[in-house]
Amino acid sequence: MHTHVHRRDPEALVALLRLEDVDRLLTSSAIRTPAVRVARDGNVLPESSYTRSGSLAGKPLTGLVDPARLLTLFDDGATVVLQGLQRSWPPLAELVADLERELGHPCQANAYLTPPGAQGFAVHSDSHDVFVFQTHGHKLWEVHGEDGAEELLLEPGVVAYLPTGTPHAARAQEVPSLHVTLGINQLTWRGLVGRVVSEALAEVPDAHLPAGYLDDPRLLSDGLAGHLDAVVEHVRRVVGADVARDQVRRFLTSRPPRLAGGLVDRAALADVAPGTRLERRPGVPCVLEEAGDQVRMLLGDRSLLLPARIRPALEQVAAAASLTPAELALDEQSALVLCRRLVREGLLRIG
């Protein structure tokens, strides 16, 4: 796989994380480590150089970013890294949720704020695929490939894809640089097969090896053959479709919760009427599975079990970007009960 460069509307990317947004996070939000780290000339600086302690309700707080010390380090050429922004910055959280749903792999979002002319890290490679895009300033990337090193100037509107293991380094130009890196933490065939095999291994008795095998290794070989046969038989019984459904269920019930606006929606639940316009919450999946006389609804961070008789209505919800309770294939009262439940669960929000 090779580096790929794509261009799109600059404003759409800039709006995801502006320099002003990073200013607010670093100077006015009481952000703490490890959400922030700092590097200069290829070395990660100790947290003590840019953090302080504090207290809240009489309890100590550690790792608080000290804005004055941090900005001084920035003035001296240090790069500030904001880590795990998919957990704390809604625009990037929505983007990551959509990317995860599209790819089926866990993703993360970091941002790198680099002063003019500085380079935070020496040439290095990442253990996962990444997308990078600029939201402020320009950054000159040195990307190494089969034909040697090439230069790539990132500016707002340019997105670059770097496959796992691509050596690279980047240097800010005349003004401060801010770019976002989306990391794809790939799930692998080895991991999936390993889980199937580990389930087979769990059925192998954890009994002691027989005494005397040092003098008579056949005591091991004969017993081992039987246990290996049992493992092979277990693996042969595994149905690929069942493993695939289990993987889908695992992934779509282990994502971070997405409940922004949930408190406001709860406060307005009593006002939900047959004609109330409800919207699917961005980034929240809705996948239906058979579960006997019930339907399992996968919502990203958890699942719900609902009666199978209302599956037609659930399929309407899963397929629609927005709807009203009156549009569902249910009687009025049942439709209101279901919609209010799905608002509470975070799948729907009040438009």
Side-chain angles (χ1 to χ4, degrees), residues 280 285-290 293-299 304-320 323 327-330 334-335 337-339 341-342 347-348:
R280 283 282 300 278
C286 179
V287 174
L288 305 178
E289 290 186 340
E290 297 290 345
D293 60 351
Q294 294 179 301
V295 175
R296 181 180 290 108
M297 178 180 279
L298 309 181
L299 298 178
L304 299 179
L305 285 173
L306 298 164
R309 61 179 174 77
I310 67 169
R311 180 168 185 129
L314 298 178
E315 290 174 344
Q316 287 179 271
V317 173
L323 53 85
E327 294 169 1
L328 296 181
L330 292 171
S334 297
V337 170
L338 174 62
C339 287
R341 170 79 184 277
L342 296 181
L347 177 63
L348 300 178

Side-chain angles (χ1 to χ4, degrees), residues 21 25 29 58-59 96 128 136 147 155 198 201 208 212-213 215-216 237 251 254 265 268 282 292 314 319 328-329:
D21 301 325
L25 286 170
S29 71
K59 295 186 177 181
V96 166
H128 50 259
H136 185 86
D147 300 324
E155 59 185 359
S198 68
L201 293 177
H208 296 167
Y213 76 85
D215 295 323
D216 186 2
R237 291 197 307 268
F251 190 85
S254 61
D265 283 342
L314 298 178
L328 296 181

Side-chain angles (χ1 to χ4, degrees), residues 11 13-29 31 71 74 82 85 89 91 111-113 135-137 156 176-180:
E11 182 56 31
L13 295 176
V14 170
L16 293 169
L17 186 72
R18 299 179 185 275
L19 185 64
E20 294 81 2
D21 301 325
V22 172
D23 186 323
R24 190 158 50 251
L25 286 170
L26 294 176
T27 65
S28 308
S29 71
I31 195 170
L71 292 178
F74 180 77
L82 291 97
L85 284 169
W89 189 249
Y112 296 77
L113 175 66
T135 67
H136 185 86
S177 163
L178 177 63
H179 83 266
V180 174

Side-chain angles (χ1 to χ4, degrees), residues 110-134:
N110 294 346
Y112 296 77
L113 175 66
T114 304
Q119 177 176 308
F121 298 93
V123 175
H124 66 283
S125 58
D126 295 318
S127 60
H128 50 259
D129 294 5
V130 298
F131 292 96
V132 293
F133 59 88
Q134 197 82 13

Side-chain angles (χ1 to χ4, degrees), residues 104-307:
H105 295 274
C107 300
Q108 64 188 41
N110 294 346
Y112 296 77
L113 175 66
T114 304
Q119 177 176 308
F121 298 93
V123 175
H124 66 283
S125 58
D126 295 318
S127 60
H128 50 259
D129 294 5
V130 298
F131 292 96
V132 293
F133 59 88
Q134 197 82 13
T135 67
H136 185 86
H138 299 73
K139 207 165 196 180
L140 186 63
W141 286 64
E142 175 188 326
V143 181
H144 294 253
E146 295 177 355
D147 300 324
E150 296 183 359
E151 290 188 343
L152 169 64
L153 183 65
L154 275 193
E155 59 185 359
V158 177
V159 181
Y161 165 74
L162 278 63
T164 300
T166 302
H168 61 275
R171 182 176 296 277
Q173 300 302 290
E174 296 80 9
V175 299
S177 163
L178 177 63
H179 83 266
V180 174
T181 296
L182 302 176
I184 306 167
N185 301 308
Q186 296 97 331
L187 302 176
T188 66
W189 282 113
R190 180 180 295 177
L192 183 59
V193 173
R195 191 166 73 237
V196 173
V197 173
S198 68
E199 292 170 356
L201 293 177
E203 296 188 1
V204 177
D206 201 20
H208 296 167
L209 298 179
Y213 76 85
L214 296 177
D215 295 323
D216 186 2
R218 288 177 301 177
L219 293 173
L220 281 188
S221 60
D222 293 346
L224 181 61
H227 291 311
L228 289 176
D229 286 343
V231 170
V232 170
E233 181 59 29
H234 176 96
V235 173
R236 283 176 175 163
R237 291 197 307 268
V238 170
V239 178
D242 293 339
V243 175
R245 280 192 293 269
D246 180 64
Q247 172 62 24
V248 170
R249 188 181 308 122
R250 284 171 178 264
F251 190 85
L252 292 181
T253 57
S254 61
R255 313 323 312 139
R258 297 196 45 75
L259 290 169
L263 178 60
V264 173
D265 283 342
R266 273 173 161 78
L269 273 179
D271 298 328
V272 173
T276 301
R277 179 59 54 180
L278 304 173
E279 301 173 349
R280 283 282 300 278
R281 189 179 298 277
V284 178
C286 179
V287 174
L288 305 178
E289 290 186 340
E290 297 290 345
D293 60 351
Q294 294 179 301
V295 175
R296 181 180 290 108
M297 178 180 279
L298 309 181
L299 298 178
D301 64 322
R302 72 208 115 99
S303 64
L304 299 179
L305 285 173
L306 298 164

